[in-house]
Amino acid sequence: MQEQNRIIIALDMASTDEVMALLQQLDPASCRVKVGKELFTRFGPELVRKISDMGFDIFLDLKFHDIPNTVHKAVAAAAELGVWMLTLHASGGADMLRAARDAIADLEHKPLLVAVTLLTSLEEDDLIVQGVQRSPLEQVQRLASLAQECGMDGVVCSAAEAGELRKLLRKDFLLVTPGIRPQGDRADDQKRIVTPAAAVREGSDYLVIGRPITRAREPLEKLASIQKEISGVN
Ligand code: C5P
């Protein structure tokens, strides 16, 4: 992938002041930002518009999962906000995924539609409880293939799974990976962490990174050092 601007900073903060303090230090040409459920539920579309007006590409991570008609309308509403990328659950099924695709078919500036396969918080035992007799990796592969067949632009996956998915999916199908920690950084609550360079080597296109940057004493320097780390890989 030729894209230089591969880092998506997760804005998992509790106040708009904190968000703005970080964004004012950042250059929209050198990173993108993720607005998740917590921030969106507190501050809503108004904050999304404000961040967008500052020139940042926004990854709206609301993981839509509903009946096709509802998801169609929610995706259309997100597209009106001008977001760059958004998420939905592949487990919502083929009709739901196609309804999402249809919602933006006629738009000139389409958001990228990225599917969540299996939440990384779920393990084999959780699948058994849900009646799924497959390993987590097999389930991820199955849902990623479904997402590709239904016209999604990519999937969110763990960087540890990216290598396997790369073999299975179209070359230009996007792999968006959280759970990234530069060497020596705290894991926080992430269980299977991968370094930025290793994630890119495994085939990741976009790296979602939160606390290593947002909690750094010098976020800008931290971002620059991660960018340097991945610039030599490929
Ligand atoms: O701070 P940290 O780098 O761990 O943030 C990672 C971001 O990616 C958070 O917003 C988290 O919710 C999200 N995420 C994740 N693991 C997944 C899916 C999303 O860490 N499997």
Side-chain angles (χ1 to χ4, degrees):
M1 181 198 198
Q2 296 308 307
E3 173 73 81
Q4 295 302 306
N5 196 356
R6 291 173 155 203
I7 296 176
I8 304 173
I9 302 179
L11 300 176
D12 296 323
M13 290 129 171
S15 77
T16 50
D17 285 354
E18 278 176 87
V19 170
M20 288 305 146
L22 176 68
L23 294 184
Q24 272 150 15
Q25 299 175 54
L26 298 172
D27 175 2
S30 62
C31 62
R32 294 175 157 108
V33 295
K34 178 168 93 76
V35 172
K37 278 188 172 132
E38 182 186 354
L39 205 60
F40 190 81
T41 304
R42 283 227 165 83
F43 306 110
E46 200 183 313
L47 179 63
V48 173
R49 281 191 207 101
K50 200 165 163 188
I51 297 173
S52 182
D53 287 347
M54 294 169 83
F56 288 94
D57 280 347
I58 298 173
F59 171 19
L60 188 65
D61 186 19
L62 298 181
K63 300 187 179 69
F64 294 140
H65 188 179
D66 215 310
I67 59 170
N69 183 50
T70 301
V71 168
H72 183 278
K73 288 178 178 163
V75 168
E80 273 171 38
L81 275 177
V83 303
W84 161 72
M85 176 183 277
L86 63 87
T87 45
L88 48 166
H89 274 282
S91 56
D95 287 351
M96 188 203 84
L97 297 173
R98 292 205 174 96
R101 185 84 258 159
D102 286 351
I104 57 169
D106 297 332
L107 299 183
E108 194 184 337
H109 298 289
K110 298 180 189 20
L112 293 167
L113 301 182
V114 172
V116 173
T117 54
L118 184 66
L119 292 171
T120 48
S121 50
L122 298 178
E123 296 176 339
E124 188 134 20
D125 287 351
D126 299 297
L127 292 186
I128 291 168
V129 169
Q130 292 180 5
V132 177
Q133 309 292 334
R134 261 179 235 110
S135 72
L137 179 61
E138 285 168 332
Q139 184 68 352
V140 166
Q141 289 172 322
R142 201 179 177 103
L143 288 170
S145 299
L146 176 73
Q148 180 172 271
E149 278 161 32
C150 295
M152 299 297 97
D153 297 296
V155 286
V156 180
C157 65
S158 116
E161 292 158 352
E164 284 303 315
L165 290 180
R166 254 296 147 251
K167 288 186 223 156
L168 181 75
L169 303 163
R170 247 180 19 232
K171 230 172 142 192
D172 64 348
F173 196 69
L174 301 174
L175 301 181
V176 180
T177 60
I180 307 291
R181 288 294 178 274
Q183 202 82 51
D185 273 43
R186 284 183 0 215
D188 301 303
D189 52 354
Q190 296 284 5
K191 290 200 181 107
R192 291 185 298 151
I193 54 174
V194 174
T195 65
V200 171
R201 230 177 282 124
E202 286 297 310
S204 171
D205 297 294
Y206 292 103
L207 282 59
V208 178
I209 306 178
R211 289 161 289 183
I213 295 174
T214 59
R215 289 207 194 138
R217 212 170 299 151
E218 300 289 346
L220 213 56
E221 279 176 25
K222 189 76 182 188
L223 173 64
S225 89
I226 296 171
Q227 270 158 343
K228 188 159 172 255
E229 178 182 332
I230 62 175
S231 66
V233 191
N234 262 4

